[in-house]
Amino acid sequence: GGIFVNAFAHHLQISNNKVQSNQGQVIGGIRLGHQSIPDPALLTAFGPNYVSFHNDNVNIHNNHVDQNGGVFEPAAGGGIGVFNGSDDYRITENWICGNFSLVYGAGISHFGLSDNGLIENNKILFNEAFDEGGGIIVSGELVPPGVDVNIVTPGSGSVTINRNLIQGNLAGDDGAGIRTLLASGQDVARSPSDNTAWYRIDILNNIIVNNVSGDAGGGISLDDAASVNIINNTIAYNDTTSTFEDAFGAACHPFAEAEGQCTSGTPGGIQTTTPPQGAGINARVHSFRLQQAFGPGFEQTFTNPVIYNNIIWHNRAFHWDASLNGGLGGLAPAADNAFYWDLAVFGGTGTERLDPRRSILDGNSGPTVLDPAANLIVAGDNNAVFPRFVAPYFNVPQAAVAPGLGAFITVTFTPLGLQGDYRIQGTNPPTDNTASAAVDAGAALGSIPVLGPQPAQTITNLGLDYDGEERPFDEPLIADNPSAVDIGADEFRRIVLP
């Protein structure tokens, strides 16, 4: 497409470019390395793995990346794509807007094993993935061809997604804002009883709003990720439409079916209505292979992230109803008076729960009449009060069947211009009831039980909020801790008068 980095480009900087209106088979805008090239010489206890292209410490910053497209399976990305061996990459301070992917990762696509990546302080806006990951996807690869089918993926490596605006992105399938897929595998199998050795996905201080998913997880969709931290984010006003082929019982994508995420069933077009899906944070049950990799005392059946200090608000679940609009079909709310479905676990036994702490959610995380497994708010820990954003807005979604194509449904929505303000309101000083309930209501950052022997030191990125303003970082070993932190991505900035 625009810029292609082949291999052995350690410490390369790509900055201050305008990368616009390019098309590539794999990535449209900026691409590091290659995908899906097995290396029989790279033998592990799990069989051969993929070639690393040794593009370490590449810094992609201050670029304008817009209207690029990738069109090749399985990992076509639109704007920026990194592949195996891009360890310690940095993607920061970029404007990534209006890019298209035929498959995964329209804005940013991390595909394959690249450890210790950072995606920080980018504007990721109005990108569209025909399949998954409208804004960002972090994915490992399938096991190489010819390897025992019981072997697990090499995984993605650890990635930090921090202080980004992820707004107005569209995914035809899962994860319009952020999507994880095959992130964990051999890391768990190598150390099944040491969770500090697993790859970790940190999602911190992001504003993830007004994204639309055709299946599950308008805000965040998690799949096969054993260690995830979702802390101090604002995940609000995202939508799911349940219009993707899986919702109609169509055949699974081979990539998904190979990982046991679904089973090919009746051809699409037979069902006339679809079940709604969780719209805020949606977690899926682990693939069978990953479940088998965990050791005693560390077993997991689904992606169960640490969720602290988040605003997860007004995420709406729609579904397709062919009887609407005179038989032309249309979108309907999940249930009467049950638009909002903030948290969900998909594919389990009905007993799985996500466990948000010190967060603001709608009074119930989902329409319990439709999903008995929906998470209720933990009394006394979370809150169900309007967070008083400065200027929120709802999308206006529309969906229609493409003429002559059976159940092929196109979803569009407005507005598409950059607008809204999801910072919280407060008072100076806070002497009345007009301040957001998020102010000073979060858990002390040093007390959040993330993985590691010293939890307070494991996520130092929490010390700055979305705007780069200081957030009190409470250290458990310091007696004179600073003031309480706010819930959400924005730390309200008080004016201290002399």
Side-chain angles (χ1 to χ4, degrees):
I3 298 172
F4 172 40
V5 179
N6 180 36
F8 295 98
H10 299 317
H11 301 283
L12 176 70
Q13 289 198 59
I14 301 173
S15 65
N16 297 94
N17 301 285
K18 187 166 187 176
V19 184
Q20 184 180 63
S21 302
N22 302 284
Q23 177 176 305
Q25 283 200 344
V26 179
I27 297 292
I30 301 172
R31 169 184 167 190
L32 304 184
H34 298 261
Q35 62 172 329
S36 307
I37 300 180
D39 185 356
L42 186 60
L43 294 176
T44 71
F46 309 98
N49 274 336
Y50 290 96
V51 173
S52 167
F53 287 88
H54 302 284
N55 293 310
D56 297 341
N57 295 286
V58 174
N59 190 356
I60 301 173
H61 65 93
N62 295 97
N63 298 285
H64 183 130
V65 183
D66 74 291
Q67 300 178 76
N68 303 284
V71 297
F72 185 76
E73 293 224 38
I80 299 174
V82 297
F83 295 104
N84 294 290
S86 301
D87 295 346
D88 298 291
Y89 70 80
R90 300 290 181 264
I91 300 175
T92 62
E93 306 275 355
N94 298 284
W95 177 274
I96 304 168
C97 180
N99 300 285
F100 175 79
S101 169
L102 182 64
V103 194
Y104 299 145
I108 296 175
S109 177
H110 168 130
F111 192 82
L113 182 54
S114 296
D115 197 22
N116 195 33
L118 175 67
I119 299 171
E120 183 175 76
N121 203 20
N122 302 281
K123 300 295 188 289
I124 303 170
L125 311 167
F126 306 109
N127 303 284
E128 178 182 355
F130 188 77
D131 205 313
E132 301 184 358
I136 300 171
I137 190 168
V138 176
S139 176
E141 297 213 42
L142 290 171
V143 296
V147 175
D148 186 333
V149 294
N150 295 311
I151 297 301
V152 288
T153 171
S156 66
S158 295
V159 180
T160 298
I161 301 172
N162 182 41
R163 296 177 50 219
N164 301 282
L165 174 62
I166 303 170
Q167 181 175 7
N169 300 284
L170 174 63
D173 195 357
D174 295 329
I178 297 174
R179 171 73 162 140
T180 72
L181 180 65
L182 302 174
S184 298
Q186 292 181 17
D187 55 322
V188 174
R190 283 192 299 267
S191 304
S193 298
D194 179 9
N195 54 7
T196 64
W198 302 345
Y199 298 137
R200 198 175 85 195
I201 310 298
D202 287 340
I203 301 174
L204 318 170
N205 305 304
N206 301 283
I207 294 180
I208 305 169
V209 293
N210 299 105
N211 303 286
V212 178
S213 172
D215 199 358
I220 299 175
S221 176
L222 303 171
D223 201 335
D224 270 12
S227 179
V228 180
N229 295 302
I230 302 176
I231 302 173
N232 273 107
N233 300 278
T234 297
I235 305 164
Y237 293 82
N238 301 287
D239 298 324
T240 54
T241 62
S242 196
T243 51
F244 193 62
E245 58 182 345
D246 295 348
F248 289 88
C252 295
H253 190 288
F255 197 85
E257 187 169 10
E259 285 302 301
Q261 297 167 17
C262 54
T263 304
S264 293
T266 353
I270 293 177
Q271 294 174 229
T272 59
T273 62
T274 59
Q277 301 287 352
I281 301 175
N282 189 88
R284 288 182 178 264
V285 169
H286 289 324
S287 63
F288 176 77
R289 277 180 266 176
L290 182 57
Q291 291 187 46
Q292 296 298 108
F294 293 100
F298 289 81
E299 297 92 343
Q300 285 186 16
T301 59
F302 68 102
T303 299
N304 190 10
V306 172
I307 303 176
Y308 268 77
N309 295 357
N310 298 283
I311 298 175
I312 311 171
W313 188 257
H314 279 19
N315 298 286
R316 301 182 298 178
F318 295 90
H319 71 110
W320 178 258
D321 187 340
S323 67
L324 297 178
N325 299 315
L328 296 177
L331 297 177
D336 292 337
N337 301 316
F339 252 124
Y340 307 131
W341 197 347
D342 290 331
L343 303 173
V345 178
F346 179 81
T349 63
T351 61
E352 294 84 0
R353 297 285 192 278
L354 296 180
D355 186 17
R357 301 295 179 91
R358 290 294 186 93
S359 296
I360 292 179
L361 304 93
D362 292 286
N364 183 317
S365 73
T368 55
V369 294
L370 294 172
D371 181 17
N375 298 270
L376 299 178
I377 285 194
V378 179
D381 196 14
N382 299 302
N383 204 338
V385 179
F386 176 56
R388 291 183 60 81
F389 296 121
V390 172
Y393 70 94
F394 282 110
N395 291 320
V396 180
Q398 294 180 317
V401 175
L405 295 179
F408 185 87
I409 297 172
T410 299
V411 174
T412 61
F413 62 92
T414 55
L416 294 182
L418 185 59
Q419 57 189 281
D421 188 342
Y422 288 90
R423 295 171 177 86
I424 56 175
Q425 300 184 56
T427 57
N428 286 300
T431 55
D432 55 36
N433 294 323
T434 61
S436 168
V439 174
D440 291 345
L445 302 182
S447 66
I448 295 172
V450 298
L451 298 177
Q454 297 179 346
Q457 305 299 324
T458 56
I459 305 186
T460 55
N461 286 312
L462 290 171
L464 298 177
D465 76 345
Y466 166 78
D467 291 312
E469 297 169 353
E470 289 189 5
R471 175 180 282 123
F473 197 102
D474 293 7
E475 300 285 0
L477 302 180
I478 297 177
D480 185 19
N481 283 338
S483 59
V485 302
D486 297 346
I487 296 174
D490 175 42
E491 184 79 13
F492 177 70
R493 187 173 186 178
R494 285 206 183 94
I495 299 173
V496 180
L497 300 176

Short mmCIF file of all heavy atoms in Angstrom, two decimals, residues 1-2 17-23 28-30 63-70 78-80 94-100 106-107 123-128:
data_model
loop_
_atom_site.label_atom_id
_atom_site.label_comp_id
_atom_site.label_asym_id
_atom_site.label_seq_id
_atom_site.Cartn_x
_atom_site.Cartn_y
_atom_site.Cartn_z
N GLY A 1 0.82 -1.21 0.00
CA GLY A 1 0.00 0.00 0.00
C GLY A 1 0.85 1.25 0.00
O GLY A 1 1.48 1.59 -0.99
N GLY A 2 0.89 1.92 1.18
CA GLY A 2 1.65 3.17 1.23
C GLY A 2 3.11 2.96 1.56
O GLY A 2 4.00 3.27 0.77
N ASN A 17 4.20 11.69 8.15
CA ASN A 17 3.79 11.43 6.77
C ASN A 17 2.28 11.54 6.66
O ASN A 17 1.55 11.34 7.62
CB ASN A 17 4.20 10.02 6.35
CG ASN A 17 5.68 9.79 6.46
OD1 ASN A 17 6.46 10.26 5.64
ND2 ASN A 17 6.09 9.07 7.50
N LYS A 18 1.82 11.82 5.46
CA LYS A 18 0.40 11.70 5.13
C LYS A 18 0.26 10.51 4.20
O LYS A 18 0.74 10.53 3.06
CB LYS A 18 -0.14 12.96 4.47
CG LYS A 18 -1.65 12.91 4.26
CD LYS A 18 -2.23 14.28 3.93
CE LYS A 18 -3.76 14.21 3.91
NZ LYS A 18 -4.35 15.55 3.68
N VAL A 19 -0.38 9.44 4.71
CA VAL A 19 -0.51 8.18 3.96
C VAL A 19 -1.99 8.04 3.63
O VAL A 19 -2.80 7.70 4.49
CB VAL A 19 0.00 6.99 4.80
CG1 VAL A 19 -0.05 5.71 4.00
CG2 VAL A 19 1.41 7.26 5.31
N GLN A 20 -2.34 8.29 2.40
CA GLN A 20 -3.75 8.47 2.05
C GLN A 20 -4.12 7.73 0.77
O GLN A 20 -3.37 7.74 -0.20
CB GLN A 20 -4.04 9.97 1.88
CG GLN A 20 -5.50 10.32 1.60
CD GLN A 20 -5.69 11.80 1.43
OE1 GLN A 20 -5.14 12.41 0.51
NE2 GLN A 20 -6.44 12.42 2.33
N SER A 21 -5.29 7.04 0.83
CA SER A 21 -5.94 6.48 -0.36
C SER A 21 -5.07 5.45 -1.08
O SER A 21 -5.05 5.38 -2.30
CB SER A 21 -6.34 7.60 -1.34
OG SER A 21 -7.22 8.50 -0.69
N ASN A 22 -4.36 4.62 -0.31
CA ASN A 22 -3.59 3.51 -0.88
C ASN A 22 -4.34 2.20 -0.68
O ASN A 22 -5.14 2.06 0.23
CB ASN A 22 -2.22 3.42 -0.21
CG ASN A 22 -1.43 4.69 -0.35
OD1 ASN A 22 -0.88 5.00 -1.40
ND2 ASN A 22 -1.37 5.46 0.73
N GLN A 23 -4.03 1.23 -1.53
CA GLN A 23 -4.60 -0.11 -1.38
C GLN A 23 -3.48 -1.13 -1.41
O GLN A 23 -2.58 -1.07 -2.24
CB GLN A 23 -5.59 -0.44 -2.50
CG GLN A 23 -6.15 -1.85 -2.41
CD GLN A 23 -7.19 -2.13 -3.47
OE1 GLN A 23 -8.17 -1.41 -3.59
NE2 GLN A 23 -6.97 -3.18 -4.26
N GLY A 28 -3.22 -1.54 3.82
CA GLY A 28 -3.31 -0.42 2.89
C GLY A 28 -2.34 0.70 3.17
O GLY A 28 -1.79 1.29 2.25
N GLY A 29 -2.12 1.04 4.46
CA GLY A 29 -1.33 2.22 4.78
C GLY A 29 0.12 1.93 5.07
O GLY A 29 0.98 2.07 4.21
N ILE A 30 0.43 1.52 6.33
CA ILE A 30 1.81 1.28 6.77
C ILE A 30 1.90 -0.16 7.27
O ILE A 30 1.12 -0.56 8.14
CB ILE A 30 2.21 2.25 7.90
CG1 ILE A 30 2.08 3.71 7.41
CG2 ILE A 30 3.62 1.97 8.38
CD1 ILE A 30 2.27 4.73 8.53
N ASN A 63 1.72 10.47 12.26
CA ASN A 63 1.33 10.32 10.86
C ASN A 63 -0.17 10.55 10.70
O ASN A 63 -0.96 10.33 11.63
CB ASN A 63 1.68 8.92 10.36
CG ASN A 63 3.16 8.64 10.42
OD1 ASN A 63 3.92 9.12 9.60
ND2 ASN A 63 3.58 7.86 11.41
N HIS A 64 -0.57 10.94 9.51
CA HIS A 64 -1.97 11.07 9.12
C HIS A 64 -2.26 9.92 8.15
O HIS A 64 -1.75 9.90 7.03
CB HIS A 64 -2.19 12.43 8.43
CG HIS A 64 -3.60 12.71 8.05
ND1 HIS A 64 -4.23 13.90 8.37
CD2 HIS A 64 -4.53 11.99 7.38
CE1 HIS A 64 -5.47 13.88 7.90
NE2 HIS A 64 -5.67 12.73 7.29
N VAL A 65 -3.03 8.94 8.62
CA VAL A 65 -3.27 7.71 7.85
C VAL A 65 -4.77 7.61 7.60
O VAL A 65 -5.54 7.31 8.51
CB VAL A 65 -2.76 6.47 8.62
CG1 VAL A 65 -2.94 5.21 7.79
CG2 VAL A 65 -1.30 6.65 9.03
N ASP A 66 -5.18 7.87 6.36
CA ASP A 66 -6.62 7.87 6.12
C ASP A 66 -6.97 7.30 4.75
O ASP A 66 -6.20 7.40 3.79
CB ASP A 66 -7.21 9.27 6.28
CG ASP A 66 -6.87 10.20 5.13
OD1 ASP A 66 -5.69 10.59 5.01
OD2 ASP A 66 -7.77 10.54 4.36
N GLN A 67 -8.14 6.69 4.68
CA GLN A 67 -8.78 6.18 3.47
C GLN A 67 -7.93 5.16 2.71
O GLN A 67 -7.92 5.11 1.48
CB GLN A 67 -9.14 7.36 2.54
CG GLN A 67 -10.09 8.35 3.18
CD GLN A 67 -10.40 9.52 2.28
OE1 GLN A 67 -11.17 9.39 1.34
NE2 GLN A 67 -9.80 10.66 2.56
N ASN A 68 -7.19 4.33 3.47
CA ASN A 68 -6.44 3.23 2.89
C ASN A 68 -7.22 1.93 3.06
O ASN A 68 -8.06 1.82 3.94
CB ASN A 68 -5.08 3.11 3.57
CG ASN A 68 -4.28 4.40 3.49
OD1 ASN A 68 -3.72 4.74 2.45
ND2 ASN A 68 -4.24 5.14 4.60
N GLY A 69 -6.92 0.93 2.23
CA GLY A 69 -7.66 -0.32 2.30
C GLY A 69 -6.80 -1.54 2.08
O GLY A 69 -5.85 -1.52 1.28
N GLY A 70 -7.11 -2.63 2.83
CA GLY A 70 -6.46 -3.92 2.64
C GLY A 70 -7.50 -4.96 2.26
O GLY A 70 -8.59 -4.98 2.81
N GLY A 78 -6.48 -2.03 7.28
CA GLY A 78 -6.61 -0.80 6.53
C GLY A 78 -5.49 0.19 6.74
O GLY A 78 -4.78 0.55 5.82
N GLY A 79 -5.34 0.68 7.99
CA GLY A 79 -4.43 1.78 8.24
C GLY A 79 -3.00 1.37 8.51
O GLY A 79 -2.10 1.60 7.70
N ILE A 80 -2.76 0.75 9.68
CA ILE A 80 -1.42 0.35 10.11
C ILE A 80 -1.45 -1.11 10.51
O ILE A 80 -2.34 -1.53 11.26
CB ILE A 80 -0.93 1.21 11.29
CG1 ILE A 80 -0.86 2.69 10.89
CG2 ILE A 80 0.43 0.73 11.79
CD1 ILE A 80 -0.52 3.62 12.05
N ASN A 94 -0.88 9.24 16.21
CA ASN A 94 -1.29 9.21 14.81
C ASN A 94 -2.78 9.53 14.67
O ASN A 94 -3.58 9.27 15.56
CB ASN A 94 -1.03 7.82 14.21
CG ASN A 94 0.43 7.45 14.23
OD1 ASN A 94 1.22 7.92 13.42
ND2 ASN A 94 0.82 6.59 15.18
N TRP A 95 -3.13 10.06 13.51
CA TRP A 95 -4.52 10.28 13.12
C TRP A 95 -4.87 9.18 12.11
O TRP A 95 -4.32 9.14 11.01
CB TRP A 95 -4.67 11.66 12.49
CG TRP A 95 -6.04 12.00 11.99
CD1 TRP A 95 -6.56 11.70 10.76
CD2 TRP A 95 -7.06 12.72 12.68
NE1 TRP A 95 -7.84 12.18 10.65
CE2 TRP A 95 -8.18 12.82 11.82
CE3 TRP A 95 -7.15 13.29 13.95
CZ2 TRP A 95 -9.37 13.46 12.19
CZ3 TRP A 95 -8.33 13.94 14.30
CH2 TRP A 95 -9.40 14.02 13.44
N ILE A 96 -5.77 8.26 12.50
CA ILE A 96 -6.07 7.06 11.71
C ILE A 96 -7.57 7.07 11.44
O ILE A 96 -8.38 6.75 12.33
CB ILE A 96 -5.63 5.80 12.47
CG1 ILE A 96 -4.14 5.88 12.82
CG2 ILE A 96 -5.92 4.54 11.65
CD1 ILE A 96 -3.68 4.83 13.81
N CYS A 97 -7.95 7.43 10.23
CA CYS A 97 -9.35 7.75 9.98
C CYS A 97 -9.81 7.21 8.63
O CYS A 97 -9.10 7.31 7.62
CB CYS A 97 -9.54 9.27 10.02
SG CYS A 97 -11.24 9.82 9.74
N GLY A 98 -11.00 6.61 8.61
CA GLY A 98 -11.65 6.26 7.34
C GLY A 98 -10.97 5.16 6.56
O GLY A 98 -11.10 5.10 5.33
N ASN A 99 -10.24 4.26 7.22
CA ASN A 99 -9.59 3.15 6.53
C ASN A 99 -10.52 1.94 6.50
O ASN A 99 -11.41 1.79 7.34
CB ASN A 99 -8.29 2.80 7.24
CG ASN A 99 -7.32 3.97 7.27
OD1 ASN A 99 -6.69 4.30 6.28
ND2 ASN A 99 -7.20 4.63 8.42
N PHE A 100 -10.29 1.04 5.54
CA PHE A 100 -11.16 -0.11 5.34
C PHE A 100 -10.35 -1.40 5.30
O PHE A 100 -9.27 -1.45 4.71
CB PHE A 100 -11.93 0.02 4.02
CG PHE A 100 -12.77 -1.19 3.70
CD1 PHE A 100 -14.00 -1.38 4.32
CD2 PHE A 100 -12.32 -2.15 2.80
CE1 PHE A 100 -14.77 -2.50 4.04
CE2 PHE A 100 -13.08 -3.26 2.51
CZ PHE A 100 -14.31 -3.45 3.14
N ALA A 106 -9.34 -2.58 10.79
CA ALA A 106 -9.39 -1.49 9.82
C ALA A 106 -8.49 -0.33 10.21
O ALA A 106 -7.84 0.27 9.36
CB ALA A 106 -10.83 -1.00 9.68
N GLY A 107 -8.44 0.01 11.51
CA GLY A 107 -7.56 1.09 11.94
C GLY A 107 -6.15 0.61 12.15
O GLY A 107 -5.22 0.99 11.45
N LYS A 123 -5.76 8.97 17.51
CA LYS A 123 -7.16 9.20 17.18
C LYS A 123 -7.52 8.16 16.11
O LYS A 123 -7.01 8.21 14.98
CB LYS A 123 -7.38 10.61 16.65
CG LYS A 123 -6.98 11.72 17.63
CD LYS A 123 -7.85 11.72 18.86
CE LYS A 123 -7.57 12.94 19.74
NZ LYS A 123 -6.25 12.90 20.43
N ILE A 124 -8.41 7.21 16.49
CA ILE A 124 -8.77 6.08 15.62
C ILE A 124 -10.25 6.21 15.33
O ILE A 124 -11.10 5.85 16.15
CB ILE A 124 -8.41 4.75 16.30
CG1 ILE A 124 -6.92 4.74 16.67
CG2 ILE A 124 -8.74 3.57 15.40
CD1 ILE A 124 -6.50 3.59 17.57
N LEU A 125 -10.59 6.76 14.16
CA LEU A 125 -11.92 7.29 13.91
C LEU A 125 -12.52 6.75 12.62
O LEU A 125 -11.87 6.76 11.56
CB LEU A 125 -11.85 8.82 13.81
CG LEU A 125 -11.09 9.55 14.92
CD1 LEU A 125 -10.85 10.99 14.53
CD2 LEU A 125 -11.83 9.46 16.23
N PHE A 126 -13.75 6.26 12.68
CA PHE A 126 -14.58 5.98 11.51
C PHE A 126 -13.91 5.05 10.51
O PHE A 126 -14.01 5.22 9.29
CB PHE A 126 -15.01 7.30 10.84
CG PHE A 126 -15.67 8.24 11.79
CD1 PHE A 126 -15.03 9.40 12.21
CD2 PHE A 126 -16.92 7.96 12.32
CE1 PHE A 126 -15.64 10.26 13.11
CE2 PHE A 126 -17.53 8.81 13.23
CZ PHE A 126 -16.89 9.96 13.63
N ASN A 127 -13.20 4.05 11.03
CA ASN A 127 -12.65 3.00 10.19
C ASN A 127 -13.65 1.86 10.11
O ASN A 127 -14.46 1.66 11.02
CB ASN A 127 -11.33 2.51 10.79
CG ASN A 127 -10.31 3.62 10.95
OD1 ASN A 127 -9.70 4.06 10.00
ND2 ASN A 127 -10.15 4.10 12.19
N GLU A 128 -13.59 1.06 9.04
CA GLU A 128 -14.56 -0.03 8.85
C GLU A 128 -13.86 -1.33 8.50
O GLU A 128 -13.10 -1.40 7.53
CB GLU A 128 -15.56 0.31 7.75
CG GLU A 128 -16.55 -0.81 7.50
CD GLU A 128 -17.53 -0.53 6.38
OE1 GLU A 128 -17.52 0.60 5.84
OE2 GLU A 128 -18.30 -1.45 6.02
#
